[in-house]
Amino acid sequence: MASALESTTHSLSKLGIDGGFANSATNLLKNLPLLSSEQIELAKMLMEMGQSHLFEQWAEPGVDVEEKKAFFDQVARLNSSYPGGLKSYIKTARELLADSKNGKNPFDGFTPSVPTGESLIFGDDTFINYEQAGVKEAKNAAFVLVAGGLGERLGYNGIKLALPAETTTGTCFLQHYIECILALQDASCQLTEGECKEIPFAIMTSDDTHSRTLELLESNSYFGMKPSQVKLLKQEKVACLDDNDARLALDPKNKYRIQTKPHGHGDVHSLLYSSGLLKTWHDTGVRWILFFQDTNALLFKGIPASLGVSATKQLHVNSLAVPRKAKEAIGGITKLTHADGRSVVINVEYNQLDPLLRATGHPDGDVNCETGYSPFPGNINQLILELGPYLEELKKTGGAIKEFVNPKYKDSTKTAFKSSTRLECMMQDYPKTLPPSARVGFTAMDTWLAYSPVKNNPEDAAKVPKGNPYHSATSGEMAIYRANSLILRKAGVQVGEPVQEVFNGQEVEVWPRITWKPKWGLIFSDIKKKVGKSCSVSQKSTLVIKGRKVFLEDLHLDGTLIVDAVDEAEVKVEGSVQNKGWTIEGVDYKDTSVLEEIRIRGFKIKKIEQLEKNFNEPGKFSLKP
Ligand code: UTP
């Protein structure tokens, strides 16, 4: 042991002094007896990788002992949670920082073209067939929700998953997602005549969201899902970098801690792989993994059809997409063909698409085509991967995703950063390493149906240029009412025209506040069976359907109606319901007397009068006001 320590001391001192870091090396050497043999190895690695500055301010032996140990605990964590360890992280960082400094174009040698995919029209026969195929296949699906983000743009104090998706019922995003998955599970079981399976659900959290996500689940009995069905995977942050040599940044508040920041949602691939979850799922017959994000309440309206497309076309990768306006701030799904013949279908970020097009023979860059939209479908970052090929690929890569770095330089010499940076990776970059033989496609559908995330705070949302989506709590909630109204219209219901209103400086369409539990209306063919042709719902109305077997026969609603029923109760709703209903009142986001989750949407619901009926027993019932 003594000789091992001596030789380490020798090699460390050599490294330090040769590197001109006599002071820091001496500091480390003096503290060496404090360290375990594993920690000494880590120290050696740090010195070898040019990180001696980390020890520059270390105190004399005997001082700050616990802090010094905690430093190495952190280094060990950073080392083990990154594929290839810290050495690999620093090496990659140096390469990417050099590329960034030299202004290297990541798409050099590639020519963009529009990939082939499936563009769906809500409610037509193709859509309905895909939905049915998707529901059938859902018994072989697993869902993965990435929810480790900071949510800095929204600035909400809680976790985004706990925010109400809409305030008519107050259902939060996580509850909505779980109810959608359970509804799919039940529907799939029924369609496949009792071949029933639980759909596994994994949530990626981070230190910023983990405990609050767990608490939200536990305090709500997992919203009806079995706790064993849900698996939380926590992503670790990565080390920050101070300069182009990838010197790790120390926490400004603690000289014994490396500063860390989130690595991005791309971590989900390595976590799923290293946790063994993918293998477990594979062994239990899971075939499709559906990745989704924290605040898109509309997503599940597009999931059954998209899964149907994956299954029918046997796609290894299927990206959900919406029509994209040229220059809109969402990435475009693009086929990139290299001069050497390689090709890949991948998301190209909006700020890279325009220069890429201009550099490859499209002098106008990112412009709309004759449809009025960009020919490149807009990526909404919801992916469906086929598990078999996915697992094979991850066996090769360990789940490592091509990273990028985005330093904010102090000046044009690009030698110093305004603040520390770090490597980042994105979930949608997974196909970058796939061979050309991989079947990679997309499924596009209308934005109103499938995409309305909540990302921006009221102030920033109000500054969004006219015509572009706000992506705020206000627009996210209104989009739910609009989608449900349009779906009922398509099913034959007369739904009142929306009115324009301004909340928190954002002009939005206010449709009747129609909501239903996913088990009532998971797919369009189900909804069509449950609504008669002669129903009407006026603009001022609120309709809440909570029962599975609620049938709207010839309902004329002008007010608020809430129908709740146990699964075994079949309820026919007929006749005219008229009352003062629930109104919408504006509130200001700066008014702190109002709850944060309410004021960030700029309105609250005033419950004046309603007809509310509960059916708690099995049987057949008629609701005739
Ligand atoms: P966003 O782009 O919305 O980022 O992430 P964000 O971190 O939540 O919000 P901002 O950028 O700070 O405002 C898209 C999805 O990816 C998840 C988020 O939770 C969200 O569901 N995400 C993001 C992670 O899981 N981990 C990360 O490191 C980053």
Side-chain angles (χ1 to χ4, degrees), residues 178-475:
I178 288 182
E179 289 179 351
C180 286
I181 296 171
L182 291 176
L184 255 178
Q185 180 178 302
D186 283 355
S188 193
C189 168
Q190 273 167 25
L191 255 190
T192 51
E193 282 151 11
E195 214 194 294
C196 301
K197 281 191 199 161
E198 273 176 14
I199 297 181
F201 179 34
I203 308 175
M204 181 171 81
T205 58
S206 66
D207 276 328
D208 300 309
T209 61
H210 185 83
S211 56
R212 286 177 293 175
T213 306
L214 190 61
E215 195 191 316
L216 181 63
L217 284 164
E218 286 181 342
S219 58
N220 290 286
S221 312
Y222 284 70
F223 297 109
M225 202 171 243
K226 286 189 193 156
S228 58
Q229 209 172 334
V230 186
K231 177 100 185 151
L232 264 53
L233 300 170
K234 186 159 77 73
Q235 66 176 138
E236 294 293 336
K237 291 183 180 170
V238 287
C240 291
L241 308 157
D242 259 343
D243 58 24
N244 284 329
D245 289 330
R247 277 155 45 108
L248 303 184
L250 279 173
D251 185 331
K253 291 194 209 114
N254 184 345
K255 63 184 176 186
Y256 297 107
R257 220 58 98 244
I258 293 169
Q259 193 185 17
T260 59
K261 284 188 183 164
H263 189 219
H265 41 56
D267 277 348
V268 72
H269 302 293
S270 62
L271 266 179
L272 283 172
Y273 184 68
S274 64
S275 64
L277 202 55
L278 286 186
K279 174 140 190 344
T280 311
W281 285 350
H282 191 254
D283 294 346
T284 54
V286 171
R287 185 163 173 218
W288 307 103
I289 316 277
L290 294 94
F291 294 86
F292 66 111
Q293 305 197 9
D294 52 12
T295 59
N296 182 15
L298 298 185
L299 174 73
F300 277 81
K301 297 189 188 298
I303 284 286
S306 311
L307 182 56
V309 171
S310 274
T312 310
K313 306 204 151 189
Q314 314 256 307
L315 292 179
H316 296 170
V317 179
N318 182 9
S319 294
L320 272 60
V322 295
R324 173 181 183 278
K325 283 275 182 197
K327 302 191 176 59
E328 191 182 331
I330 57 174
I333 297 177
T334 311
K335 180 170 181 179
L336 294 175
T337 309
H338 197 268
D340 64 13
R342 275 177 295 148
S343 72
V344 63
V345 177
I346 195 81
N347 171 64
V348 176
E349 284 299 313
Y350 65 95
N351 53 347
Q352 294 174 323
L353 188 60
D354 187 77
L356 173 65
L357 286 163
R358 287 177 196 275
T360 51
H362 306 86
D364 297 334
D366 180 15
V367 286
N368 293 326
C369 63
E370 62 287 351
T371 59
Y373 287 93
S374 156
F376 297 93
N379 170 45
I380 62 169
N381 249 350
Q382 328 282 336
L383 301 175
I384 306 179
L385 304 186
E386 185 176 356
L387 179 51
Y390 178 46
L391 197 52
E392 283 311 306
E393 177 66 14
L394 294 198
K395 277 183 195 158
K396 288 185 238 151
T397 62
I401 296 299
K402 283 224 181 296
E403 293 159 303
F404 62 97
V405 69
N406 190 12
K408 306 278 180 292
Y409 297 108
K410 269 196 180 142
D411 56 41
S412 59
T413 62
K414 294 189 174 179
T415 43
F417 307 157
K418 280 187 187 154
S419 60
S420 67
T421 188
R422 84 287 197 183
L423 299 191
E424 294 175 74
C425 63
M426 300 191 288
M427 174 169 90
Q428 65 271 30
D429 280 346
Y430 162 72
K432 276 192 173 163
T433 56
L434 290 180
S437 56
R439 286 190 295 277
V440 184
F442 67 84
T443 303
M445 54 191 87
D446 283 323
T447 309
W448 68 261
L449 181 70
Y451 191 54
S452 183
V454 176
K455 287 186 190 284
N456 293 326
N457 62 60
E459 213 164 331
D460 290 342
K463 289 187 211 140
V464 165
K466 208 173 159 51
N468 280 15
Y470 297 118
H471 291 173
S472 65
T474 316
S475 61

Side-chain angles (χ1 to χ4, degrees), residues 45 48-51 82-99 241 244-248 403 423:
M45 179 271 294
E48 277 165 13
M49 296 305 291
Q51 305 296 332
Y82 185 82
L86 265 177
K87 203 170 172 171
S88 161
Y89 181 78
I90 295 164
K91 213 169 135 264
T92 310
R94 282 189 187 135
E95 286 163 15
L96 291 174
L97 284 163
D99 286 351
L241 308 157
N244 284 329
D245 289 330
R247 277 155 45 108
L248 303 184
E403 293 159 303
L423 299 191

